[in-house]
Amino acid sequence: YMATRFFKRGATAAAAAARPPVPPVNNAPAKPNQAKSADGSLSIEERMATLSFAGWKVAIDVDALVTRASPASPSIRSDGTSAYFESLLAARPDTYLYCEVRRDEGKRPASQSHYVGDASPEFVGQQELLDVLRPYAASGLKREQVLFCATPKGHESFSRQLQPTILITTRPQVASLLAKHVPYIVLVGAGQDAQVAKFPNVLVVDSLAKFRS
């Protein structure tokens, strides 16, 4: 995977934030939106709505923010998601975006040393995603917070290394794989997927716009 920077170069933030424990999956059945957060005072739905993320690390699948009819034409969702993301950035949790892009093996460089700089021609649609996300720099998004991978496995790898408190993803398989490792997961736009229904720490929503105040 690769971390890509908007403005300044430097080491990617690696310090792990303290995280609440993952709720056991064999607890008495509880709806995900009723799962209490670490201090027991707010449900995850309430915490998402009030942006109560002090000291938490938030990881977001970029497809929860954008639509991609093709790699060359990503666009920000027009349902209020953008306003919510700006508010989330303003709340200043430790935030990362996961971006999955297709790899063009014919353009794969012999060296990966330039990955810390600008977009690589190896990754199809990478520059287009960076261009779409660039306006969020005004809300505090930095290039080292935007991470790229070429397979769904990258989402799992990112989460195991960054150890987010909340993972916002559009992929039911990723939610199912990580539900025992990430304290709280918000699954966007997947409906009531049977893979994740058994996990009390997974909240399923149609859109992040649901939490816009």
Side-chain angles (χ1 to χ4, degrees), residues 61-84:
D61 176 354
V62 74
D63 289 317
L65 304 176
V66 306
T67 58
R68 291 193 273 183
S70 73
S73 58
S75 60
I76 299 297
R77 293 181 182 270
S78 58
D79 60 357
T81 292
S82 180
Y84 178 77

Side-chain angles (χ1 to χ4, degrees), residues 56-62 88 94-98 145 147 155 158-159 162-169 182 184-186:
W56 286 27
K57 187 178 291 186
V58 180
I60 306 174
D61 176 354
V62 74
L88 187 152
D94 195 3
T95 306
Y96 293 88
L97 291 180
Y98 298 171
Q145 295 171 283
L147 311 178
H155 294 254
F158 287 147
S159 292
L162 292 173
Q163 298 184 323
T165 316
I166 297 180
L167 169 63
I168 301 170
T169 182
V182 177
Y184 302 103
I185 295 177
V186 177

Side-chain angles (χ1 to χ4, degrees), residues 46-54 84 87-89 91 93 211 213:
E46 291 167 338
R47 194 169 288 277
M48 291 287 293
T50 58
L51 298 167
S52 301
F53 299 131
Y84 178 77
S87 297
L88 187 152
L89 290 171
F211 304 115
S213 57

Side-chain angles (χ1 to χ4, degrees), residues 14-203:
R19 301 184 302 151
V22 178
V25 298
N26 60 353
N27 275 0
K31 294 180 180 180
N33 63 1
Q34 294 175 340
K36 293 299 181 181
S37 51
D39 59 10
S41 61
L42 296 175
S43 71
I44 296 309
E45 185 169 10
E46 291 167 338
R47 194 169 288 277
M48 291 287 293
T50 58
L51 298 167
S52 301
F53 299 131
W56 286 27
K57 187 178 291 186
V58 180
I60 306 174
D61 176 354
V62 74
D63 289 317
L65 304 176
V66 306
T67 58
R68 291 193 273 183
S70 73
S73 58
S75 60
I76 299 297
R77 293 181 182 270
S78 58
D79 60 357
T81 292
S82 180
Y84 178 77
F85 183 53
E86 289 177 344
S87 297
L88 187 152
L89 290 171
R92 301 198 179 280
D94 195 3
T95 306
Y96 293 88
L97 291 180
Y98 298 171
C99 306
E100 185 180 330
V101 290
R102 182 171 61 83
R103 172 173 281 158
D104 185 342
E105 294 293 341
K107 296 181 179 179
R108 190 170 186 173
S111 170
Q112 297 186 1
S113 61
H114 70 286
Y115 280 10
V116 176
D118 295 330
S120 167
E122 173 191 357
F123 291 97
V124 179
Q126 181 188 8
Q127 186 60 59
E128 287 79 3
L129 273 177
L130 289 174
D131 290 342
V132 164
L133 295 171
R134 197 174 301 278
Y136 294 112
S139 299
L141 185 66
K142 299 180 175 61
R143 288 186 79 169
E144 63 261 31
Q145 295 171 283
V146 183
L147 311 178
F148 286 89
C149 61
T151 68
K153 186 72 173 177
H155 294 254
E156 181 181 355
S157 298
F158 287 147
S159 292
R160 291 185 183 277
Q161 293 183 50
L162 292 173
Q163 298 184 323
T165 316
I166 297 180
L167 169 63
I168 301 170
T169 182
T170 62
R171 294 160 169 78
Q173 184 177 10
V174 170
S176 181
L177 283 171
L178 294 175
K180 294 182 180 180
H181 306 284
V182 177
Y184 302 103
I185 295 177
V186 177
L187 180 60
V188 177
Q192 295 299 321
D193 191 274
Q195 294 184 67
V196 300
K198 63 182 179 181
F199 296 108
N201 59 322
V202 179
L203 171 65

